[in-house]
Amino acid sequence: MEKDQPKKINEHTKNEPQQKREPTGLFSAPLTSEKNVEISGNQNKPATSYPEVVKIQAWWRGTLVRRTLLHAALRALIIQSWWRQMQAKLLEKRRWMALEAFIQKEWAAVKLQSWVRMWRIHRRYCCLLNAARIIQAYWRCHSCASQGFIKGHYRVTANQLHLELEILLGSEPCIVTECIPLPIKQ
């Protein structure tokens, strides 16, 4: 060790006053107590005498650029994700509207078909009922020489009209049984 230097780095000698240093920029050249170094030339160019400073500045600029690009990419991903969610919701809404329209049309068609079938069956039933009444009325008013009589009954099922008549004229009864199918679509 030399005699003029202190034993510890932070220890100052009593003879030397403590020097105050002004804070400088992050990447400025270190100040020495003995002489100030001036950098000649253009201030925008990096000092070639301090390659470590140039490397640190390049690394820091690259870090800032990467950070800026990362933030921009994250913002773009957030916007794209939001847009995809909105498109999915819109597509789902369109599907539900199409499904509801389809269901409404199908329901209307089924209802209309059932009403038409009901109207046709009711019309056929009324025709057969009217025919049975006419036959009954005719035979009730019919007078024959032997003073015979007619008795009978009818039954309407889902797809047939069962008609059974018993005619008594004189000594032998005449039984007429008829099954009339109703045209109903199964």
Side-chain angles (χ1 to χ4, degrees):
M1 276 199 188
E2 293 182 20
K3 294 180 182 178
D4 295 340
Q5 292 184 347
K7 292 180 183 176
K8 293 183 181 175
I9 295 175
N10 291 334
E11 183 181 307
H12 295 287
T13 59
K14 296 179 182 176
N15 297 337
E16 292 182 23
Q18 186 178 357
Q19 294 180 353
K20 290 186 178 179
R21 293 185 180 176
E22 294 293 324
T24 58
L26 184 60
F27 301 111
S28 65
L31 295 176
T32 59
S33 60
E34 296 178 6
K35 52 183 169 177
N36 290 333
V37 179
E38 289 187 25
I39 301 173
S40 62
N42 192 352
Q43 294 292 331
N44 293 335
K45 290 184 181 178
T48 56
S49 61
Y50 300 107
E52 294 83 19
V53 172
V54 173
K55 287 181 182 177
I56 292 172
Q57 286 177 340
W59 171 80
W60 182 247
R61 285 190 194 110
T63 302
L64 290 176
V65 168
R66 281 189 295 276
R67 186 183 299 167
T68 305
L69 290 175
L70 178 65
H71 285 299
L74 287 175
R75 288 183 187 116
L77 286 174
I78 290 170
I79 292 170
Q80 288 172 353
S81 173
W82 173 82
W83 181 250
R84 285 189 199 108
Q85 286 177 354
M86 298 311 315
Q87 291 291 68
K89 286 181 183 176
L90 188 62
L91 181 64
E92 189 68 23
K93 187 177 179 181
R94 285 183 191 154
R95 285 180 181 165
W96 273 108
M97 289 172 58
L99 181 63
E100 286 176 358
F102 174 76
I103 288 171
Q104 191 174 15
K105 287 178 184 177
E106 287 295 313
W107 180 84
V110 168
K111 198 72 165 170
L112 186 62
Q113 288 171 354
S114 70
W115 286 345
V116 168
R117 281 196 299 268
M118 181 183 68
W119 175 75
R120 290 179 65 198
I121 291 169
H122 181 73
R123 196 169 126 209
R124 177 74 175 160
Y125 172 77
C126 288
C127 287
L128 292 174
L129 186 64
N130 193 25
R133 286 180 181 160
I134 290 173
I135 293 171
Q136 287 174 353
Y138 175 75
W139 283 104
R140 283 184 189 138
C141 296
H142 181 70
S143 61
C144 53
S146 64
Q147 295 293 323
F149 68 96
I150 298 173
K151 76 176 181 181
H153 64 278
Y154 65 93
R155 185 178 78 221
V156 178
T157 60
N159 57 1
Q160 288 183 347
L161 171 67
H162 298 278
L163 185 63
E164 189 173 318
L165 297 173
E166 186 178 343
I167 305 169
L168 295 173
L169 294 173
S171 62
E172 296 182 23
C174 177
I175 299 173
V176 177
T177 303
E178 187 73 32
C179 256
I180 301 170
L182 299 175
I184 297 175
K185 186 176 181 181
Q186 296 292 332

